[in-house]
Amino acid sequence: MKVVEFQEGESFDIELEEDLLRKNEEIAEVNRRLLDKHGVMGIDVMGSIGSGKTTMIERLTNHLGKTANVGVVAGDLTTTIDAQKIEQQGASVVQVNTGKECHLDANLVGKALKTLPLEELDLLFTENVGNLICPAEFPLGAQKRLVVISVTEGPYMVVKHPYIFREADVVAINKVELAAAMKVDPEKLKADMARIDPRIKVVKTSLIADQGTAEVIEALGLATGMKSGA
Ligand code: MG
Ligand code: ZN
């Protein structure tokens, strides 16, 4: 079969893009220092549209809210649907609308951080725009990165999107209750990830039933209480 491949240096705006990525990394570093200074653990949540990112943040906030003050940056093109859901779990939420951009960048997150009471927070979840491609290239400053995938994305979703998994600390394979119906084997997805990076911690979840949330908390290293001054 004929395959047309992208060659390095072929993009029309390659210099512009390198400049942009470097600038983003600098601002991500500033964001990281700001989080560290206030003792906030930042967790970037990435994944496709409909994989369960918002539900994951809702569940984590519900479980961790008793022992930690939780803040959330909710990225979305135009709506506040997810932010409203998460706010009901008691988190301090700021919505970032990216307009036409298909990912959050460190500059937008930096602006969002300025609106949050960082001195009161212990944890900050950032829900990226639903996309498995460019969020991998734009670090936001978070200390940890959680990717939420779903068995409904089919059997080849991991091998087709290697970059995002290289950036992940923890991956949740969600909607495992649908695995048989979708003819997708979660163990095969797990094996695909291990080939990309054997250090990724993989957890199977059924977030609709709140199953696997405690294991995700454990994998993220958030199992012990962290409320400031508690
Ligand atoms: Mg969402
Ligand atoms: Zn993008």
Side-chain angles (χ1 to χ4, degrees), residues 44-53 101-104 128-138 145-168 170-173 189 193 196:
D44 188 6
V45 182
M46 300 174 287
S48 301
I49 295 169
S51 67
K53 297 182 296 304
E101 279 297 337
C102 46
H103 57 271
L104 285 176
N128 216 312
V129 179
N131 176 353
L132 283 170
I133 303 164
C134 39
E137 283 198 292
F138 287 84
R145 302 180 103 184
L146 167 63
V147 175
V148 183
I149 68 170
S150 159
V151 297
T152 56
E153 293 167 65
Y156 306 113
M157 69 80 59
V158 174
V159 289
K160 285 184 178 181
H161 303 92
Y163 301 109
I164 198 106
F165 296 102
R166 272 179 213 162
E167 302 301 326
V170 178
V171 177
I173 305 177
L189 295 176
M193 281 182 246
I196 293 166

Side-chain angles (χ1 to χ4, degrees), residues 24-87:
N24 182 77
E25 270 166 37
E26 283 168 19
I27 302 172
E29 197 48 48
V30 173
N31 291 346
R32 166 69 75 93
R33 283 200 294 270
L34 191 64
L35 293 175
D36 284 341
K37 186 178 127 192
H38 289 97
V40 180
M41 165 64 76
I43 296 164
D44 188 6
V45 182
M46 300 174 287
S48 301
I49 295 169
S51 67
K53 297 182 296 304
T54 306
T55 311
M56 173 66 86
I57 294 172
E58 284 181 81
R59 299 298 186 210
L60 292 174
T61 301
N62 187 270
H63 281 241
L64 292 162
K66 297 161 206 106
T67 54
N69 290 322
V70 180
V72 177
V73 176
D76 196 284
L77 299 189
T78 57
T79 78
T80 58
I81 296 167
D82 293 353
Q84 285 167 347
K85 279 197 221 165
I86 296 164
E87 206 160 40

